[in-house]
Structures are given as structure tokens and as C-alpha cells.
Amino acid sequence: MDSEEDMLDAHDMESGEDDFYSGGTDDCNDSDDGEPDYGFVEEDADDSAMIASHRSQKNFCVLREEDIRRHQMDNIERVSVVLSITEVEASILLRHFHWSVGRVHDEWFADEERVRKTVGILESHVVPPSDDSELTCGICFDSYPPEKIASVSCGHPFCTTCWTGYISTTINDGPGCLMLRCPDPSCLAAVGHDMVDKLASEDEKEKYNRYFLRSYIEDNRKMKWCPAPGCDFAIDFVAGSGNYDVSCLCSFSFCWNCTEEAHRPVDCSTVSKWILKNSAESENMNWILANSKPCPRCKRPIEKNQGCMHMTCTPPCKYEFCWLCLGAWMDHGERTGGFYACNRYEVAKQEGQYDETERRREMAKNSLERYTHYYERWASNQTSRQKAMADLQQAQMQNLEKLSDKQCTPESQLKFILEAWLQIIECRRVLKWTYAYGYYLPEHEHAKRQFFEYLQGEAESGLERLHQCVEKDLVQFLIAEGPSKDFNDFRTKLAGLTR
């Protein structure tokens, strides 16, 4: 896992920003567990959304849409009061400085004039106000009465029709409308949401407000959207802990650092390499190299799917050759060993003619077998975890109530079953990623690998006992016609395996 300092650098998070950060983090508690280690992390904090709800401390909090709007308005009001500017101007400042209240204060008090000029909040009109009965629009050059003319802080006059078209076009072009400037090409005066509220249609206002809301998360270095498909929750992360696992209210757990699914105890670099390997074409090439040979004539790879060594390439090539020595089949027959052997190959192999080719093929085969070993176990634990999550949901919705009736036990005293499923879900996740860790463990570190595989085996053995107990042993009590005297023994056994 990357260190805390690396993460702060990666996100450009200023230490002073926390002092000014308004809205707080409600139930976010900052826990200092020290700097994380690479590879396995020795913390045993949970990352499942359901397990995380039981944690007394966490370094993040989940924000709903109403929470985001409240934080956003708190920041705007605070900047407006402290700097004695309007809320429209405060929102323009905050968007420019990525919603960092601390940075807004620092920059403003260091050089207010420069900030105003850069952001586009002008103190005085560039174009002096006119007392004329009609004013000329700077876009269509028609004359209009003053009530049909609008302008921002610069004073450049444009008719409301041109303003409406200008605002509509930029909103429909995307989030860039949040940094809208005066239509005059030489003017940098900012256009605030007050002008949008005044002239845009209802659909365009809704779209603008959506961009405005999303900017608070997407421009804020301390927040991210939950990456789960269809989830609208955001995460407010508090730096200071070595644990980057985050659990959203939608039950999806992910790593704040890399936004992949939660993967402790494996570091982000290993996860990135493993995911890339799983999706890369390299394994296809390894399989082709290990299980096929090129036709000597057309060079297309051919897989041997019969016992005979007599190979015929597919049309239009139709070249006939020997699988072992790749020589023309017309040169083969009884004198070379028949259909199932090749004396020419054996002689050539003894002379060293096939050493390099065979070595490459053997290496590819070993590499493929090794990767398959780890991938199958990684995928198997992932499948088991998904099944356990479905079983947990079924237990919550059906089995607990049924078991309560059968065993005459209140549901509140059956929570140990849910705790067992939660532990299984978490352990399957951890065990899954240990196989990615094991794949990249250096081959020459024999002692470390041996110890790792011992621990992995012990963990898997304990988890299988727990999983079997809650999955198989529980069935007899669900189908029983009445209370069972063995139920208390089952409770003790399951609670002990969970611990």
C-alpha cells in the first residue's frame, strides 16, 4: 500500500486545508495507525460494508446528495461571510480553487486584486453604466431598452435573448458551463449561477445544478464518488490512517487509493498487475505457445487433438507434417517409428537441435500452469464470497425468522449466524487476494514462500470449517419439526469458529 505521504502528494492535499474545511466530517474519526507496510498489512480492520458498520472508528464517512448540498452551502456561506462577498462570488471562488476553503482564504488575503482578476470577480464595471433609453447588444447589435439588457460584473451589455442562447449552448456542452465567462472575447468576468437562474430553462437549470453538485465531489481532493455502478453516494475520506479501505452504504467496498475493490492485505501495485494480467492477451499467447506448434509451411498455430503424429494443416494450406519433428510426412513411415513416434525427432533431440524450442515451450507450459493454479483459487474464493453474500441476504430475509420459530429462540439471539456469514465474506476476500500476492512472491525467497503458504493453508482450513458449519450444519435445524437439544452445541461451535 502506498504511504500516507505518497497519497497526500498524489492528491495535492494541503495540510492547512483541514483547518478551514467547513461542514466537518460528521461521524468521521481520524485514527492514526502509523505508516502502512507493503504486501500484507497487519491491521485486522474490516472492509465489508456490513462489517464496517460495527466499527467504532473509521476514517471516512458516506455522503448522500442532501449531505453534499449541505456541505456545499456551508462552505459558500462561510467564504461569503469571511470575505464579505456575495454567495454567487463565493461559489465562483470555491469552484476555481477546487472547493478548498483554506486555499481560498490564503490566496484572497495574500493578494485580493490578483485573485479577483484571475477568477473574474471584478470590483468595478469595465463598461460604465449608461443612462440612455436604449442600449446596443454586443452580440446581435440590436438596440433594446435597459430592462431587456443584462450584464455581469464587467458591465458589457447583451440582450437577454443572446444571453439565453449563450448560456443554453454552454450548459448543453457539459460541465464547462461552471466556468462560464462574459461573451465578450476580451473579457474574463465570470458568469455566476444567478444569471443561469434568471435566464435558463428549467431543464437547463436542473442540468447546471447537477454539474454544480458533482463539481463539489469531483474537484474536491478529499472526496470521491463510490465507483459501484448506479451508486450516487460519495465518500469523504480523512487522511491519517494507513487503511484505505472504504465501505459505501450500497454495500460496495473499495480502496480509496486506487478505486479497485477492497484488496487488503495486498498493495495497490500488486492488484494492478494482477488485474492487468487477468485481462491481458499474454496468457492466450502462453497457451498457444504451450499447446500448439506452427505449421512448417504457413506458420499458423495448430493444436494437436488426436493421438496420431500425422498432422494435416487446415485449407487452403493442407500441408502434411510430423507433429514431433515438423518434417514433411512423406519422409516418414515405418522406418521413422510409425504414426505414434518419430525416430528422426529423437535423434535430432539428442543432438540438441530441439533444445531451445522445447525449452521455450516447456517454460510457457510451466508459466501457464502456475498462473492457472493461482487464478483458479483466486476466482474460486471470489465465487464463494459472492455466494456467501447471497446466503447472508437469504439468512436476513428468511432463515432467521424460520429458525426462530423452529427453535423457539428470539431473532436477537440468532445474530451469531449473521456474524459468521459476515466473517466468511471478509475472509473470502482476504484469502482471494493472498493468491495474487503468492503469484508475485519471488521464487528465490523459499523460506518466506514456505511460511506464507503455511499461513495461507491454515487460514483456508479454518475458513472451510466455518463455511461448512454455517452452510451445512445449520440445515438440520431449519428442517427440524421442533426445538433441537443440539442447537446450543451448534451455537457454541459456530461462535467459536467465527472467533
Side-chain angles (χ1 to χ4, degrees):
M1 213 51 94
D2 296 335
S3 67
E4 178 187 337
E5 290 80 2
D6 291 340
M7 182 186 172
L8 294 179
D9 291 340
H11 296 287
D12 294 332
M13 296 167 67
E14 299 84 2
S15 59
E17 180 176 333
D18 294 336
D19 298 332
F20 288 107
Y21 180 63
S22 71
T25 52
D26 297 342
D27 58 342
C28 296
N29 295 316
D30 188 354
S31 61
D32 185 8
D33 294 329
E35 206 171 280
D37 191 13
Y38 287 86
F40 282 124
V41 181
E42 294 183 358
E43 302 165 301
D44 56 357
D46 302 314
D47 81 331
S48 166
M50 294 165 287
I51 296 176
S53 64
H54 300 293
R55 290 161 61 183
S56 60
Q57 288 189 339
K58 55 184 180 181
N59 56 344
F60 66 91
C61 58
V62 183
L63 302 178
R64 300 176 177 85
E65 183 173 325
E66 56 268 26
D67 299 322
I68 299 171
R69 293 193 186 280
R70 178 168 53 82
H71 282 300
Q72 199 171 34
M73 287 310 302
D74 287 346
N75 286 6
I76 291 172
E77 290 172 5
R78 183 175 182 182
V79 169
S80 175
V81 170
V82 172
L83 304 186
S84 300
I85 56 179
T86 66
E87 290 188 0
V88 173
E89 292 172 329
S91 67
I92 292 171
L93 272 174
L94 283 165
R95 284 202 311 271
H96 182 83
F97 290 108
H98 305 295
W99 294 96
S100 170
V101 177
R103 192 171 173 207
V104 168
H105 290 165
D106 292 343
E107 296 288 343
W108 182 272
F109 291 121
D111 193 341
E112 177 183 340
E113 183 179 350
R114 179 184 59 81
V115 171
R116 282 185 175 274
K117 184 177 180 181
T118 302
V119 177
I121 302 175
L122 308 183
E123 282 190 286
S124 58
H125 289 298
V126 175
V127 178
S130 174
D131 296 330
D132 296 342
S133 58
E134 287 192 342
L135 298 173
T136 301
C137 171
I139 295 177
C140 65
F141 299 104
D142 287 339
S143 297
Y144 296 91
E147 60 270 18
K148 295 288 187 179
I149 293 290
S151 63
V152 288
S153 58
C154 58
H156 286 115
F158 302 99
C159 68
T160 53
T161 303
C162 291
W163 265 115
T164 300
Y166 178 62
I167 290 172
S168 174
T169 300
T170 53
I171 289 177
N172 290 320
D173 281 347
C177 62
L178 298 177
M179 304 302 291
L180 195 59
R181 300 292 178 133
C182 171
D184 188 297
S186 63
C187 182
L188 296 177
V191 178
H193 60 75
D194 56 337
M195 188 70 79
V196 175
D197 293 340
K198 178 181 176 183
L199 298 173
S201 67
E202 291 302 318
D203 288 343
E204 289 163 353
K205 283 187 214 176
E206 183 179 350
K207 193 178 292 186
Y208 181 89
N209 289 332
R210 177 59 54 183
Y211 291 145
F212 187 74
L213 178 75
R214 293 190 67 84
S215 74
Y216 186 72
I217 303 300
E218 291 164 8
D219 294 344
N220 196 322
R221 294 169 178 84
K222 302 174 76 175
M223 298 182 184
K224 286 180 183 177
W225 293 109
C226 171
C231 180
D232 292 325
F233 295 128
I235 308 297
D236 185 358
F237 188 83
V238 180
S241 168
N243 180 16
Y244 295 144
D245 284 358
V246 171
S247 301
C248 182
L249 295 178
C250 70
S251 297
F252 183 73
S253 299
F254 66 98
C255 170
W256 172 269
N257 207 22
C258 66
T259 67
E260 294 291 349
E261 66 168 275
H263 52 72
R264 292 176 65 250
V266 179
D267 60 80
C268 299
S269 174
T270 301
V271 170
S272 177
K273 288 189 294 184
W274 180 253
I275 292 175
L276 181 62
K277 185 171 187 63
N278 291 346
S279 61
E281 289 294 320
S282 60
E283 294 313 312
N284 293 337
M285 295 307 299
N286 274 341
W287 189 95
I288 291 172
L289 184 60
N291 296 281
S292 69
K293 292 184 180 182
C295 168
R297 176 179 290 174
C298 69
K299 305 303 181 185
R300 281 187 299 180
I302 295 177
E303 178 189 4
K304 183 176 180 294
N305 57 5
Q306 300 291 337
C308 180
M309 299 299 167
H310 182 185
M311 308 298 295
T312 303
C313 188
T314 55
C317 178
K318 295 185 178 180
Y319 182 67
E320 298 183 35
F321 63 95
C322 171
W323 172 258
L324 286 176
C325 71
L326 300 180
W329 187 252
M330 66 175 60
D331 298 333
H332 289 66
E334 294 296 331
R335 67 183 185 281
T336 62
F339 290 97
Y340 298 97
C342 180
N343 295 338
R344 294 176 58 181
Y345 171 77
E346 295 299 332
V347 172
K349 187 176 181 181
Q350 290 176 8
E351 295 175 355
Q353 294 181 22
Y354 293 102
D355 285 357
E356 181 61 24
T357 303
E358 287 300 315
R359 189 184 65 82
R360 288 179 57 206
R361 185 170 286 109
E362 193 64 28
M363 285 178 61
K365 200 166 188 175
N366 291 340
S367 174
L368 186 62
E369 288 175 355
R370 182 172 178 272
Y371 168 71
T372 302
H373 169 85
Y374 286 97
Y375 178 79
E376 283 179 348
R377 286 154 179 77
W378 180 86
S380 176
N381 277 285
Q382 170 68 357
T383 303
S384 297
R385 184 173 186 266
Q386 291 173 338
K387 176 67 166 55
M389 293 174 74
D391 289 341
L392 170 62
Q393 189 174 11
Q394 183 179 2
Q396 290 173 317
M397 298 178 65
Q398 300 175 13
N399 291 355
L400 281 196
E401 183 179 355
K402 185 178 179 181
L403 192 64
S404 176
D405 294 338
K406 292 283 180 96
Q407 301 300 324
C408 301
T409 305
E411 284 191 38
S412 59
Q413 295 182 19
L414 299 176
K415 298 297 183 183
F416 69 95
I417 297 175
L418 299 184
E419 290 172 1
W421 278 119
L422 291 171
Q423 189 64 55
I424 289 169
I425 291 168
E426 169 67 358
C427 289
R428 286 292 178 196
R429 182 196 66 76
V430 172
L431 195 59
K432 177 183 80 168
W433 286 112
T434 63
Y435 283 102
Y437 177 88
Y439 180 79
Y440 289 105
L441 200 59
E443 291 285 348
H444 62 273
E445 297 184 6
H446 301 295
K448 185 175 182 180
R449 173 173 289 279
Q450 189 175 9
F451 183 57
F452 159 74
E453 289 176 350
Y454 166 76
L455 293 177
Q456 188 182 51
E458 289 293 302
E460 192 145 22
S461 174
L463 176 56
E464 291 301 332
R465 290 198 300 271
L466 171 61
H467 206 156
Q468 181 172 341
C469 181
V470 73
E471 192 173 52
K472 302 283 179 64
D473 297 357
L474 181 62
V475 174
Q476 60 179 309
F477 302 108
L478 287 170
I479 62 177
E481 295 182 0
S484 171
K485 61 181 181 180
D486 296 327
F487 186 70
N488 283 335
D489 292 337
F490 168 75
R491 181 204 304 270
T492 303
K493 178 182 177 182
L494 185 60
L497 288 172
T498 303
R499 280 195 299 272

